Amino acid sequence: MYRVFIASAVVVIYIASAFSADTSVKIVNGDDANIEDHQWMVSIQVKTYREAVTETHVCGGAIIDRSWVLTAAHCGNAYDPLDMKIVAGSSFLSKMKTRIPVKKYYEHENYTGSENDLMLLQLKTPLKFGSTINKIDLDTDIEKNYTGEVCTISGWGNTNSGDGTNKPDRLQVVSMSVVTNDHCHAGYLDIFPDKFLNKICLQEGEKDSCNEDSGGPMVCSKKLVGILNLGISPCKGRIPSIYARVSAYTDWIKEKMKIKKKKNKKDLKSKNNQKNKKDKKSKNNRNNKNENKNNKKNQ
């Protein structure tokens, strides 16, 4: 994770990236959550090589298919996919039983750090859906105005609104209202002078996301509407948090997922062709043996 310090203001932008694992986003003034109510929620973890090899939570993500998780690009683009995995199936990080390595990730081609901050994680083995693990439907309505609607965010990020760090073991959830992009952008003018593209923002009193919540899902009416990109520290809700608007990227998401499906079909076809050739060869061998036996009998 990294933070960009702005000399002219007492603010810090938090973006979960790989430069410093202690600065990702977390939920502030939220409530304990049950995974059964957030079955799509996963923790993205990476291996760290210090005194011993350990796996550390760095970001959140949302299950959108048995083999796919959607998160923020800055959550994984500095890591080797071989060092990444997703864990799922429990409200508590310490009790996670489903742990699946990442096979490959697809960072958005036009990711710039502030724009197009999305990434798809392709899992090595498919998830088994049940009461604690399931996918969430994508919001596909790019025209919908969510302003004023109350949405939820969830994560295992920092719950301390100040400079300290309190990493919860239990999943946290908080509800916040969608604010206009003009209001949202006004809080970031010194940092991002150009208007936001394909963004949606939340703000509600003293509630906030914070470090290590990055990549987590923004859910409105049981649909995945946003993926957490960035916010301002300290995490006190004074400035809106910013999410990539999922409906603006559904074509990109489907295209990347289709690559895998096409490959699977091609591999299956190739496998079937090889099997058919083998079966045909085996059948021919049996026919030849039978023919030889018959010829011997007739002699």
Side-chain angles (χ1 to χ4, degrees), residues 77-134:
N77 65 343
Y79 296 106
D80 187 322
L82 297 177
D83 288 335
M84 300 174 67
K85 66 175 51 178
I86 65 102
V87 300
S90 175
S91 307
F92 300 89
L93 287 176
S94 60
K95 296 180 180 180
M96 293 290 192
K97 292 183 179 180
T98 299
R99 314 179 74 86
I100 300 182
V102 172
K103 179 179 181 179
K104 188 174 182 179
Y105 59 62
Y106 297 86
E107 173 187 323
H108 196 283
E109 295 81 358
N110 297 321
Y111 168 55
T112 64
S114 61
E115 299 293 346
N116 305 306
D117 190 2
L118 279 182
M119 174 180 284
L120 273 167
L121 304 180
Q122 180 185 341
L123 307 182
K124 279 193 174 181
T125 56
L127 289 158
K128 295 180 180 179
F129 286 169
S131 61
T132 60
I133 299 176
N134 215 322

Side-chain angles (χ1 to χ4, degrees), residues 256-270:
K256 295 303 175 189
M257 291 173 65
K258 197 182 294 182
I259 292 172
K260 168 64 176 173
K261 289 178 181 178
K262 282 183 178 178
K263 187 177 185 303
N264 282 346
K265 286 181 180 179
K266 186 177 179 181
D267 290 346
L268 182 61
K269 186 177 179 180
S270 176

Side-chain angles (χ1 to χ4, degrees), residues 114-116 181 194-200 243-245 248-249:
S114 61
E115 299 293 346
N116 305 306
N181 272 16
D194 296 328
K195 282 194 173 184
F196 293 136
L197 296 174
N198 303 324
K199 303 290 188 186
I200 190 165
Y243 299 73
R245 183 159 182 171
Y249 296 96

Side-chain angles (χ1 to χ4, degrees), residues 34-46:
N34 295 317
I35 197 65
E36 289 82 1
D37 300 322
H38 307 272
Q39 302 165 339
W40 49 84
M41 187 74 209
V42 303
S43 163
I44 297 171
Q45 302 192 359
V46 298

